Amino acid sequence: MSPDLAAAAALPALLHRERAILEFNRRVLAQARRLDVPLLERLRYICIVSSNMDEFFEVRFADYIEAAREPGAGISRRDLEAVANEAHALIDDQYAAFNDEVMPLLHREGIVILNHADRDEAQRRFVDQFFQRQVRPLLVPVGLDPSHPFPQVANKSLNFIVRLTGRDAFGRENTIAIVKVPRVLPRVIKLPDALAPSGKQAFVLLTSVIRAHLGELFPGREVEAFSQFRVTRDSDLEVDEDDVTNLRQALRTGLTTRHYGQAIRLEVVNTCPTELSEFLLQQFSLPDAALYRVNGPVNLVRLNQLIDQADAPALRFPPFEGVWPQGRLPRQQSIFTRLRGGDVLLHHPFESFEPVVQFLREAVDDPDVLAIKQTIYRTGSESPLMDLLIEAARRGKEVMAVVELKARFDEEANINWAERLEAVGAQVVYGIVGLKTHAKLLLVTRREEGRLRRYAHLSTGNYNPKTARLYTDVGYLTADHELTADADAVFQQLASLGKMKPPRQLLQAPFTLHRRTLQHIEAVAEAARAGQPARIVAKLNALTDVALIEALIRAGQSGASIDLIVRGACMLPPGIPEVTDRIRVRSVVGRFLEHSRVLYFRWGPSEDDEALYLSSADWMSRNMFRRIEVAWPIRDAALRQRVIDECLVPYLHDTRDAWRLCSDGRYERIANEGPSAQHALMQLYQPGLSKDS
């Protein structure tokens, strides 16, 4: 296509964001159907889909419904129904995979879930004792009448609705009762080996235990019908930051009401009588489309407890521990000394996260270290890094922690860390009003030979050792003067709210990241129009920013070759003849969650005509304009080539775990065999690893 035609080419309609999220979950569900994935891991993928769908309804679909109420939003009732229908179909497929594929195979492998009808007399005695001792004392059935209104039902909690015959103790005919099941009770109970069928491991579900004893909760009456049910609510914390004097206190108050937001979805078992499901819909003010009848437990997420309790190593992925990069970062050498000789790149989970912990530990123990600054987004409720920051403050070092209190579903853990840090004298700030601090930065200032020198760690992922074993991310340790000065300026800005000079290396949202990214894409487009080498490869979690999508489309129309590796939602429709046929989009879903963001641009024939960035930000409008994010260039040629060789090239050649995005928004698996990027990287770092790992 000529440049003139490219300029005139119409931009295509973009793909639907909510449907793109559902398509991602279809790819996760496909993992549960793969014969080359160990059985318990297949069950885990089913649990992951349930967890993802919970968040979809709590956040994405809740926002979508709210947007549909706004005039001019362009979202019709038909749009809402279409998304709901696709969600229904996905959940039906999920339960089909659970019931028809995974569970029968687990039964064949000797792992069984026993329903009441399947249990023998000894097993029933065990279940009865468990119910009487562990469960019944915590259950409070509520019979509904004018003085006993429908109880408050928490988000995602397990409940039973029961229809009773006869009259209550006071001679009245109130027929409906609700039984709320406390979260503290285990959802999966393993039977003692002596009670399990020969050669098998036997489990019972809490729902089955309660079902078998429902009648005991209503003496003198009969249970005529019943169903488990679960309601999913809008769980976004809404805090007007401009109208609060203490954000931490406002969020802590909001946490107490989060569990009782607007109802979005109602789940019941497929045998639930229509009159009971209609009664529940009425209580929660939900339309019929919000009802999900499921063939099994209403919360498959809790089956993670079965995976954890099952003694079957052969049915799990073989253990994999990231290696310490001894050749690039000798254990016997100070990390500070090593960084003075050059930057160190860490590729997780193939390389251990422990060097990052050791970097901070060394800073805490070193008397020449004067100050430590770190961003905190998702560290978890237990964190060796937070413990080290607290210890540093106790030892009198200047500690600054930028704690993002609005990290969704981690608010309580972060509030607790903020309070513990403040208690020992650390300077805690909560970022910028209206913006989430999503950048991953750790900065150490050390006195050396009468002057101060900075050392930094920047990362595409969170400071969380647990998720660092499950997510692919890239960490970067550096003593580069310009890069560490830029990082320090970001911390200064977050604390002082003052203007900062344009950074020399860092790109920062909401200031320069979006604009500079567009400039890089345009430089590639100009090179293509001039007949020069023109290439873009971007590895992201999501691509939904319209301006960036349109810039990519125009670059492709100009002749640039573009490959996008987008794990989750992508709204760019590739492969449309004469429009986006030079753009290819693929998604890789494997053992580890793809999380690293890597951006490569080439706009000419020489080495000076390329740039490679690592970033904390996805290409979404919220990341570009409503968050503090950073991207940083890899200027060392050897490290840049290593990132290309490990983070881009294997994923472009993956056929086992990769999916191809079609122009209509559907995804096609490229193949069921061939190279896997993740497995190739596991073998790279641990040669001789089994092909089934």
Side-chain angles (χ1 to χ4, degrees), residues 44-91:
R44 195 186 307 277
Y45 282 116
I46 289 175
C47 296
I48 290 170
V49 172
S50 283
S51 177
N52 289 349
M53 291 303 293
D54 283 349
E55 183 170 348
F56 174 77
F57 284 102
E58 289 176 290
V59 180
R60 306 300 180 196
F61 199 55
D63 288 348
Y64 194 58
I65 292 172
E66 186 65 29
R69 297 191 180 108
E70 298 178 7
I75 301 174
S76 67
R77 185 178 185 86
R78 181 176 298 178
D79 294 329
L80 282 172
E81 291 174 352
V83 173
N85 288 339
E86 291 191 27
H88 275 281
L90 172 59
I91 291 171

Side-chain angles (χ1 to χ4, degrees), residues 6-135:
L11 295 173
L14 301 187
L15 299 176
H16 194 281
R17 186 186 70 169
E18 279 66 31
R19 292 179 186 172
I21 295 172
L22 294 176
E23 279 289 326
F24 167 66
N25 282 292
R26 283 203 171 277
R27 299 195 293 282
V28 177
L29 180 59
Q31 292 293 101
R33 292 187 150 129
R34 290 183 61 161
L35 299 181
D36 60 339
V37 172
L39 264 177
L40 287 174
E41 305 296 346
R42 292 171 66 179
L43 178 58
R44 195 186 307 277
Y45 282 116
I46 289 175
C47 296
I48 290 170
V49 172
S50 283
S51 177
N52 289 349
M53 291 303 293
D54 283 349
E55 183 170 348
F56 174 77
F57 284 102
E58 289 176 290
V59 180
R60 306 300 180 196
F61 199 55
D63 288 348
Y64 194 58
I65 292 172
E66 186 65 29
R69 297 191 180 108
E70 298 178 7
I75 301 174
S76 67
R77 185 178 185 86
R78 181 176 298 178
D79 294 329
L80 282 172
E81 291 174 352
V83 173
N85 288 339
E86 291 191 27
H88 275 281
L90 172 59
I91 291 171
D92 288 344
D93 287 347
Q94 177 194 12
Y95 277 86
F98 172 72
N99 289 307
D100 303 337
E101 299 177 43
V102 173
M103 292 313 297
L105 290 172
L106 282 173
H107 190 282
R108 189 183 304 172
E109 294 290 337
I111 296 175
V112 297
I113 296 177
L114 299 178
N115 294 320
H116 180 70
D118 302 325
R119 299 195 280 264
D120 61 27
E121 192 60 35
Q123 292 163 349
R124 290 184 180 185
R125 282 197 300 272
F126 172 85
V127 169
D128 180 68
Q129 291 175 0
F130 182 85
F131 176 79
Q132 303 301 339
R133 296 172 180 174
Q134 304 291 332
V135 180

Side-chain angles (χ1 to χ4, degrees), residues 63 73 116 160 176 184 300 319 354 512 517 537 571 591 638 648:
D63 288 348
H116 180 70
F160 280 81
I176 302 296
V184 294
L300 290 174
E354 184 58 28
T512 58
T517 304
V537 184
M571 292 170 55
R591 172 173 177 171
L648 298 180

Side-chain angles (χ1 to χ4, degrees), residues 52-326:
N52 289 349
M53 291 303 293
D54 283 349
E55 183 170 348
F56 174 77
F57 284 102
E58 289 176 290
V59 180
R60 306 300 180 196
F61 199 55
D63 288 348
Y64 194 58
I65 292 172
E66 186 65 29
R69 297 191 180 108
E70 298 178 7
I75 301 174
S76 67
R77 185 178 185 86
R78 181 176 298 178
D79 294 329
L80 282 172
E81 291 174 352
V83 173
N85 288 339
E86 291 191 27
H88 275 281
L90 172 59
I91 291 171
D92 288 344
D93 287 347
Q94 177 194 12
Y95 277 86
F98 172 72
N99 289 307
D100 303 337
E101 299 177 43
V102 173
M103 292 313 297
L105 290 172
L106 282 173
H107 190 282
R108 189 183 304 172
E109 294 290 337
I111 296 175
V112 297
I113 296 177
L114 299 178
N115 294 320
H116 180 70
D118 302 325
R119 299 195 280 264
D120 61 27
E121 192 60 35
Q123 292 163 349
R124 290 184 180 185
R125 282 197 300 272
F126 172 85
V127 169
D128 180 68
Q129 291 175 0
F130 182 85
F131 176 79
Q132 303 301 339
R133 296 172 180 174
Q134 304 291 332
V135 180
R136 183 166 185 169
L138 299 178
L139 299 182
V140 181
V142 177
L144 304 187
D145 70 4
S147 65
H148 296 77
F150 195 92
Q152 280 276 50
V153 172
N155 180 44
K156 299 187 296 185
S157 63
L158 174 63
N159 308 271
F160 280 81
I161 182 170
V162 182
R163 187 176 67 209
L164 303 167
T165 62
R167 298 174 181 269
D168 66 16
F170 304 95
R172 296 172 300 182
E173 292 186 349
N174 53 321
T175 59
I176 302 296
I178 301 297
V179 181
K180 296 165 57 174
V181 181
R183 296 185 189 274
V184 294
L185 289 171
R187 295 302 192 257
V188 179
I189 302 100
K190 187 175 185 180
L191 292 181
D193 292 342
L195 295 179
S198 178
K200 296 185 183 297
Q201 299 178 63
F203 299 84
V204 295
L205 302 183
L206 179 65
T207 50
S208 175
V209 173
I210 295 174
R211 284 174 56 185
H213 296 82
L214 267 180
E216 297 178 28
L217 302 177
F218 306 96
R221 308 187 75 178
E222 291 186 8
V223 174
E224 188 176 56
F226 64 90
S227 175
Q228 307 167 39
F229 74 90
R230 181 174 179 260
V231 64
T232 311
R233 299 180 179 274
D234 182 347
S235 295
D236 244 0
L237 287 180
E238 297 293 339
V239 176
D240 185 354
E241 296 179 53
D242 294 320
D243 194 37
V244 298
T245 56
N246 188 321
L247 178 60
R248 185 177 70 196
Q249 184 58 47
L251 283 169
R252 191 177 282 286
T253 300
L255 286 171
T256 63
T257 59
R258 159 182 273 172
H259 296 304
Y260 302 99
Q262 176 64 43
I264 302 296
R265 170 182 60 161
L266 172 66
E267 296 165 279
V268 300
V269 295
N270 57 0
T271 56
C272 179
T274 301
E275 61 268 27
L276 293 185
S277 61
E278 289 180 347
F279 175 81
L280 289 171
L281 287 171
Q282 182 181 11
Q283 292 299 317
F284 295 118
S285 302
L286 288 171
D288 291 343
L291 178 66
Y292 288 74
R293 291 181 173 273
V294 300
N295 184 18
V298 295
N299 186 358
L300 290 174
V301 177
R302 293 301 192 99
L303 286 176
N304 274 309
Q305 295 176 11
L306 184 151
I307 300 170
D308 294 339
Q309 294 181 68
D311 182 13
L315 302 184
R316 296 186 177 88
F317 285 128
F320 180 84
E321 291 291 336
V323 298
W324 181 289
Q326 179 66 19

Side-chain angles (χ1 to χ4, degrees), residues 377-405:
Y377 191 73
R378 296 191 191 279
T379 62
S381 57
E382 298 179 3
S383 171
L385 290 109
M386 297 301 97
D387 290 338
L388 285 168
L389 284 183
I390 290 170
E391 179 61 23
R394 286 188 178 130
R395 295 188 185 189
K397 298 182 189 296
E398 292 297 320
V399 174
M400 173 186 172
V402 182
V403 181
E404 181 45 72
L405 297 183

